[in-house]
mmCIF file of all heavy atoms in Angstrom:
data_model
loop_
_atom_site.group_PDB
_atom_site.id
_atom_site.type_symbol
_atom_site.label_atom_id
_atom_site.label_comp_id
_atom_site.label_asym_id
_atom_site.label_seq_id
_atom_site.Cartn_x
_atom_site.Cartn_y
_atom_site.Cartn_z
ATOM 1 N N LEU A 736 16.696 115.165 112.769
ATOM 2 C CA LEU A 736 16.553 116.190 111.738
ATOM 3 C C LEU A 736 15.456 115.815 110.751
ATOM 4 O O LEU A 736 15.284 114.648 110.396
ATOM 5 C CB LEU A 736 17.862 116.364 110.965
ATOM 6 C CG LEU A 736 18.992 117.142 111.636
ATOM 7 C CD1 LEU A 736 20.268 117.006 110.809
ATOM 8 C CD2 LEU A 736 18.620 118.606 111.798
ATOM 9 N N ASP A 737 14.718 116.821 110.280
ATOM 10 C CA ASP A 737 13.781 116.612 109.179
ATOM 11 C C ASP A 737 13.644 117.922 108.403
ATOM 12 O O ASP A 737 14.353 118.908 108.661
ATOM 13 C CB ASP A 737 12.425 116.091 109.662
ATOM 14 C CG ASP A 737 11.763 117.037 110.658
ATOM 15 O OD1 ASP A 737 12.048 118.243 110.630
ATOM 16 O OD2 ASP A 737 10.936 116.558 111.460
ATOM 17 N N ASP A 738 12.740 117.950 107.440
ATOM 18 C CA ASP A 738 12.588 119.116 106.568
ATOM 19 C C ASP A 738 12.273 120.388 107.346
ATOM 20 O O ASP A 738 12.709 121.488 106.959
ATOM 21 C CB ASP A 738 11.486 118.875 105.534
ATOM 22 C CG ASP A 738 11.867 117.800 104.528
ATOM 23 O OD1 ASP A 738 13.005 117.319 104.603
ATOM 24 O OD2 ASP A 738 11.034 117.467 103.678
ATOM 25 N N SER A 739 11.515 120.247 108.419
ATOM 26 C CA SER A 739 11.098 121.444 109.153
ATOM 27 C C SER A 739 12.292 122.178 109.759
ATOM 28 O O SER A 739 12.286 123.413 109.859
ATOM 29 C CB SER A 739 10.088 121.067 110.251
ATOM 30 O OG SER A 739 10.667 120.180 111.189
ATOM 31 N N ASP A 740 13.320 121.439 110.175
ATOM 32 C CA ASP A 740 14.525 122.076 110.710
ATOM 33 C C ASP A 740 15.186 122.951 109.653
ATOM 34 O O ASP A 740 15.617 124.073 109.945
ATOM 35 C CB ASP A 740 15.527 121.015 111.186
ATOM 36 C CG ASP A 740 15.006 120.184 112.338
ATOM 37 O OD1 ASP A 740 15.110 120.642 113.480
ATOM 38 O OD2 ASP A 740 14.481 119.080 112.081
ATOM 39 N N ILE A 741 15.256 122.423 108.441
ATOM 40 C CA ILE A 741 15.940 123.144 107.361
ATOM 41 C C ILE A 741 15.127 124.354 106.909
ATOM 42 O O ILE A 741 15.651 125.472 106.795
ATOM 43 C CB ILE A 741 16.196 122.196 106.170
ATOM 44 C CG1 ILE A 741 17.015 120.977 106.620
ATOM 45 C CG2 ILE A 741 16.902 122.946 105.054
ATOM 46 C CD1 ILE A 741 18.364 121.306 107.185
ATOM 47 N N TRP A 742 13.842 124.151 106.651
ATOM 48 C CA TRP A 742 13.028 125.248 106.124
ATOM 49 C C TRP A 742 12.853 126.370 107.131
ATOM 50 O O TRP A 742 12.869 127.561 106.767
ATOM 51 C CB TRP A 742 11.677 124.724 105.653
ATOM 52 C CG TRP A 742 11.740 124.035 104.331
ATOM 53 C CD1 TRP A 742 11.539 122.714 104.077
ATOM 54 C CD2 TRP A 742 12.064 124.632 103.073
ATOM 55 N NE1 TRP A 742 11.716 122.444 102.747
ATOM 56 C CE2 TRP A 742 12.033 123.601 102.101
ATOM 57 C CE3 TRP A 742 12.380 125.922 102.668
ATOM 58 C CZ2 TRP A 742 12.296 123.812 100.762
ATOM 59 C CZ3 TRP A 742 12.655 126.152 101.324
ATOM 60 C CH2 TRP A 742 12.612 125.119 100.385
ATOM 61 N N SER A 743 12.677 126.037 108.405
ATOM 62 C CA SER A 743 12.530 127.092 109.410
ATOM 63 C C SER A 743 13.811 127.908 109.523
ATOM 64 O O SER A 743 13.766 129.141 109.683
ATOM 65 C CB SER A 743 12.156 126.494 110.767
ATOM 66 O OG SER A 743 13.144 125.573 111.215
ATOM 67 N N ALA A 744 14.958 127.228 109.422
ATOM 68 C CA ALA A 744 16.236 127.941 109.469
ATOM 69 C C ALA A 744 16.396 128.847 108.255
ATOM 70 O O ALA A 744 16.800 130.014 108.381
ATOM 71 C CB ALA A 744 17.392 126.941 109.547
ATOM 72 N N LEU A 745 16.075 128.342 107.078
ATOM 73 C CA LEU A 745 16.204 129.153 105.859
ATOM 74 C C LEU A 745 15.327 130.394 105.916
ATOM 75 O O LEU A 745 15.740 131.491 105.509
ATOM 76 C CB LEU A 745 15.853 128.310 104.630
ATOM 77 C CG LEU A 745 16.862 127.232 104.224
ATOM 78 C CD1 LEU A 745 16.276 126.341 103.132
ATOM 79 C CD2 LEU A 745 18.174 127.857 103.743
ATOM 80 N N LYS A 746 14.112 130.240 106.432
ATOM 81 C CA LYS A 746 13.201 131.393 106.529
ATOM 82 C C LYS A 746 13.751 132.444 107.483
ATOM 83 O O LYS A 746 13.594 133.653 107.255
ATOM 84 C CB LYS A 746 11.822 130.923 106.984
ATOM 85 C CG LYS A 746 11.069 130.126 105.924
ATOM 86 C CD LYS A 746 9.701 129.664 106.438
ATOM 87 C CE LYS A 746 8.955 128.890 105.360
ATOM 88 N NZ LYS A 746 7.630 128.417 105.842
ATOM 89 N N ALA A 747 14.398 131.997 108.551
ATOM 90 C CA ALA A 747 14.997 132.949 109.490
ATOM 91 C C ALA A 747 16.261 133.572 108.905
ATOM 92 O O ALA A 747 16.510 134.775 109.087
ATOM 93 C CB ALA A 747 15.318 132.238 110.804
ATOM 94 N N TRP A 748 17.044 132.771 108.184
ATOM 95 C CA TRP A 748 18.304 133.269 107.615
ATOM 96 C C TRP A 748 18.077 134.289 106.503
ATOM 97 O O TRP A 748 19.004 135.007 106.132
ATOM 98 C CB TRP A 748 19.129 132.107 107.105
ATOM 99 C CG TRP A 748 19.591 131.174 108.190
ATOM 100 C CD1 TRP A 748 19.574 131.396 109.535
ATOM 101 C CD2 TRP A 748 20.107 129.845 108.009
ATOM 102 N NE1 TRP A 748 20.048 130.311 110.219
ATOM 103 C CE2 TRP A 748 20.393 129.337 109.315
ATOM 104 C CE3 TRP A 748 20.369 129.037 106.907
ATOM 105 C CZ2 TRP A 748 20.913 128.061 109.509
ATOM 106 C CZ3 TRP A 748 20.876 127.768 107.103
ATOM 107 C CH2 TRP A 748 21.143 127.292 108.389
ATOM 108 N N LYS A 749 16.873 134.349 105.966
ATOM 109 C CA LYS A 749 16.577 135.378 104.967
ATOM 110 C C LYS A 749 16.855 136.773 105.514
ATOM 111 O O LYS A 749 17.189 137.694 104.766
ATOM 112 C CB LYS A 749 15.111 135.294 104.526
ATOM 113 C CG LYS A 749 14.770 134.082 103.679
ATOM 114 C CD LYS A 749 13.274 133.965 103.454
ATOM 115 C CE LYS A 749 12.712 135.154 102.715
ATOM 116 N NZ LYS A 749 11.273 134.967 102.396
ATOM 117 N N HIS A 750 16.721 136.925 106.826
ATOM 118 C CA HIS A 750 16.875 138.230 107.465
ATOM 119 C C HIS A 750 18.214 138.363 108.181
ATOM 120 O O HIS A 750 18.391 139.261 109.008
ATOM 121 C CB HIS A 750 15.729 138.456 108.446
ATOM 122 C CG HIS A 750 14.371 138.200 107.838
ATOM 123 N ND1 HIS A 750 13.794 139.042 106.909
ATOM 124 C CD2 HIS A 750 13.491 137.177 108.021
ATOM 125 C CE1 HIS A 750 12.624 138.565 106.544
ATOM 126 N NE2 HIS A 750 12.417 137.443 107.199
ATOM 127 N N ALA A 751 19.145 137.466 107.855
ATOM 128 C CA ALA A 751 20.461 137.517 108.496
ATOM 129 C C ALA A 751 21.227 138.758 108.034
ATOM 130 O O ALA A 751 21.022 139.271 106.930
ATOM 131 C CB ALA A 751 21.256 136.257 108.150
ATOM 132 N N ASP A 752 22.107 139.241 108.892
ATOM 133 C CA ASP A 752 22.927 140.401 108.542
ATOM 134 C C ASP A 752 23.966 140.048 107.477
ATOM 135 O O ASP A 752 24.395 140.920 106.720
ATOM 136 C CB ASP A 752 23.640 140.943 109.794
ATOM 137 C CG ASP A 752 22.661 141.530 110.804
ATOM 138 O OD1 ASP A 752 21.593 142.017 110.374
ATOM 139 O OD2 ASP A 752 22.971 141.492 112.007
ATOM 140 N N ASP A 753 24.370 138.794 107.449
ATOM 141 C CA ASP A 753 25.357 138.364 106.454
ATOM 142 C C ASP A 753 24.716 138.328 105.068
ATOM 143 O O ASP A 753 23.723 137.623 104.838
ATOM 144 C CB ASP A 753 25.895 136.975 106.812
ATOM 145 C CG ASP A 753 26.950 136.492 105.835
ATOM 146 O OD1 ASP A 753 28.093 136.977 105.912
ATOM 147 O OD2 ASP A 753 26.619 135.628 104.998
ATOM 148 N N GLN A 754 25.271 139.073 104.147
ATOM 149 C CA GLN A 754 24.673 139.213 102.822
ATOM 150 C C GLN A 754 24.641 137.891 102.061
ATOM 151 O O GLN A 754 23.653 137.571 101.392
ATOM 152 C CB GLN A 754 25.450 140.246 102.001
ATOM 153 C CG GLN A 754 24.905 140.463 100.593
ATOM 154 C CD GLN A 754 25.784 141.373 99.758
ATOM 155 O OE1 GLN A 754 26.865 141.766 100.195
ATOM 156 N NE2 GLN A 754 25.333 141.705 98.564
ATOM 157 N N ILE A 755 25.690 137.123 102.166
ATOM 158 C CA ILE A 755 25.762 135.869 101.407
ATOM 159 C C ILE A 755 24.727 134.875 101.913
ATOM 160 O O ILE A 755 23.985 134.271 101.129
ATOM 161 C CB ILE A 755 27.180 135.281 101.495
ATOM 162 C CG1 ILE A 755 28.184 136.217 100.813
ATOM 163 C CG2 ILE A 755 27.226 133.894 100.850
ATOM 164 C CD1 ILE A 755 29.622 135.788 100.958
ATOM 165 N N LEU A 756 24.652 134.705 103.221
ATOM 166 C CA LEU A 756 23.673 133.776 103.785
ATOM 167 C C LEU A 756 22.254 134.254 103.491
ATOM 168 O O LEU A 756 21.384 133.443 103.135
ATOM 169 C CB LEU A 756 23.872 133.637 105.297
ATOM 170 C CG LEU A 756 22.905 132.686 106.013
ATOM 171 C CD1 LEU A 756 23.018 131.275 105.440
ATOM 172 C CD2 LEU A 756 23.156 132.682 107.508
ATOM 173 N N SER A 757 22.019 135.541 103.647
ATOM 174 C CA SER A 757 20.696 136.084 103.373
ATOM 175 C C SER A 757 20.287 135.860 101.927
ATOM 176 O O SER A 757 19.145 135.485 101.628
ATOM 177 C CB SER A 757 20.677 137.582 103.695
ATOM 178 O OG SER A 757 19.435 138.158 103.334
ATOM 179 N N THR A 758 21.226 136.057 101.013
ATOM 180 C CA THR A 758 20.945 135.852 99.587
ATOM 181 C C THR A 758 20.635 134.397 99.292
ATOM 182 O O THR A 758 19.661 134.075 98.601
ATOM 183 C CB THR A 758 22.146 136.310 98.740
ATOM 184 O OG1 THR A 758 22.369 137.710 98.937
ATOM 185 C CG2 THR A 758 21.901 136.047 97.256
ATOM 186 N N LEU A 759 21.450 133.493 99.822
ATOM 187 C CA LEU A 759 21.240 132.065 99.582
ATOM 188 C C LEU A 759 19.905 131.600 100.153
ATOM 189 O O LEU A 759 19.167 130.861 99.497
ATOM 190 C CB LEU A 759 22.382 131.259 100.206
ATOM 191 C CG LEU A 759 23.743 131.355 99.501
ATOM 192 C CD1 LEU A 759 24.838 130.763 100.368
ATOM 193 C CD2 LEU A 759 23.700 130.658 98.145
ATOM 194 N N ALA A 760 19.587 132.036 101.374
ATOM 195 C CA ALA A 760 18.338 131.614 102.009
ATOM 196 C C ALA A 760 17.129 132.187 101.288
ATOM 197 O O ALA A 760 16.133 131.488 101.069
ATOM 198 C CB ALA A 760 18.339 132.043 103.481
ATOM 199 N N THR A 761 17.213 133.454 100.912
ATOM 200 C CA THR A 761 16.092 134.095 100.203
ATOM 201 C C THR A 761 15.847 133.425 98.863
ATOM 202 O O THR A 761 14.704 133.113 98.497
ATOM 203 C CB THR A 761 16.372 135.592 99.996
ATOM 204 O OG1 THR A 761 16.530 136.224 101.269
ATOM 205 C CG2 THR A 761 15.234 136.247 99.243
ATOM 206 N N ASP A 762 16.909 133.199 98.118
ATOM 207 C CA ASP A 762 16.758 132.580 96.798
ATOM 208 C C ASP A 762 16.247 131.152 96.904
ATOM 209 O O ASP A 762 15.481 130.686 96.054
ATOM 210 C CB ASP A 762 18.096 132.606 96.048
ATOM 211 C CG ASP A 762 18.474 134.003 95.590
ATOM 212 O OD1 ASP A 762 17.628 134.909 95.711
ATOM 213 O OD2 ASP A 762 19.609 134.199 95.126
ATOM 214 N N MET A 763 16.657 130.447 97.955
ATOM 215 C CA MET A 763 16.198 129.064 98.134
ATOM 216 C C MET A 763 14.712 129.033 98.436
ATOM 217 O O MET A 763 13.956 128.253 97.829
ATOM 218 C CB MET A 763 16.988 128.408 99.272
ATOM 219 C CG MET A 763 16.682 126.936 99.472
ATOM 220 S SD MET A 763 17.415 125.894 98.204
ATOM 221 C CE MET A 763 16.803 124.265 98.721
ATOM 222 N N THR A 764 14.267 129.857 99.348
ATOM 223 C CA THR A 764 12.848 129.832 99.731
ATOM 224 C C THR A 764 11.965 130.426 98.637
ATOM 225 O O THR A 764 10.798 130.043 98.506
ATOM 226 C CB THR A 764 12.627 130.607 101.046
ATOM 227 O OG1 THR A 764 13.133 131.944 100.913
ATOM 228 C CG2 THR A 764 13.330 129.904 102.200
ATOM 229 N N ASP A 765 12.514 131.346 97.869
ATOM 230 C CA ASP A 765 11.735 131.969 96.785
ATOM 231 C C ASP A 765 11.902 131.242 95.455
ATOM 232 O O ASP A 765 11.413 131.713 94.430
ATOM 233 C CB ASP A 765 12.155 133.440 96.613
ATOM 234 C CG ASP A 765 11.774 134.288 97.806
ATOM 235 O OD1 ASP A 765 11.027 133.792 98.665
ATOM 236 O OD2 ASP A 765 12.232 135.446 97.889
ATOM 237 N N ARG A 766 12.617 130.114 95.486
ATOM 238 C CA ARG A 766 12.831 129.285 94.286
ATOM 239 C C ARG A 766 13.540 130.048 93.167
ATOM 240 O O ARG A 766 13.244 129.874 91.973
ATOM 241 C CB ARG A 766 11.504 128.706 93.775
ATOM 242 C CG ARG A 766 10.767 127.861 94.798
ATOM 243 C CD ARG A 766 9.440 127.353 94.273
ATOM 244 N NE ARG A 766 8.684 126.656 95.286
ATOM 245 C CZ ARG A 766 8.800 125.357 95.570
ATOM 246 N NH1 ARG A 766 9.655 124.640 94.900
ATOM 247 N NH2 ARG A 766 8.075 124.805 96.514
#
Side-chain angles (χ1 to χ4, degrees):
L736 284 171
D737 58 26
D738 292 356
S739 61
D740 296 277
I741 303 300
W742 282 113
S743 59
L745 288 171
K746 289 179 179 179
W748 295 346
K749 290 172 61 175
H750 310 289
D752 293 332
D753 181 76
Q754 180 186 5
I755 295 175
L756 180 60
S757 175
T758 298
L759 288 168
T761 300
D762 288 351
M763 185 74 182
T764 56
D765 293 350
R766 302 178 185 273

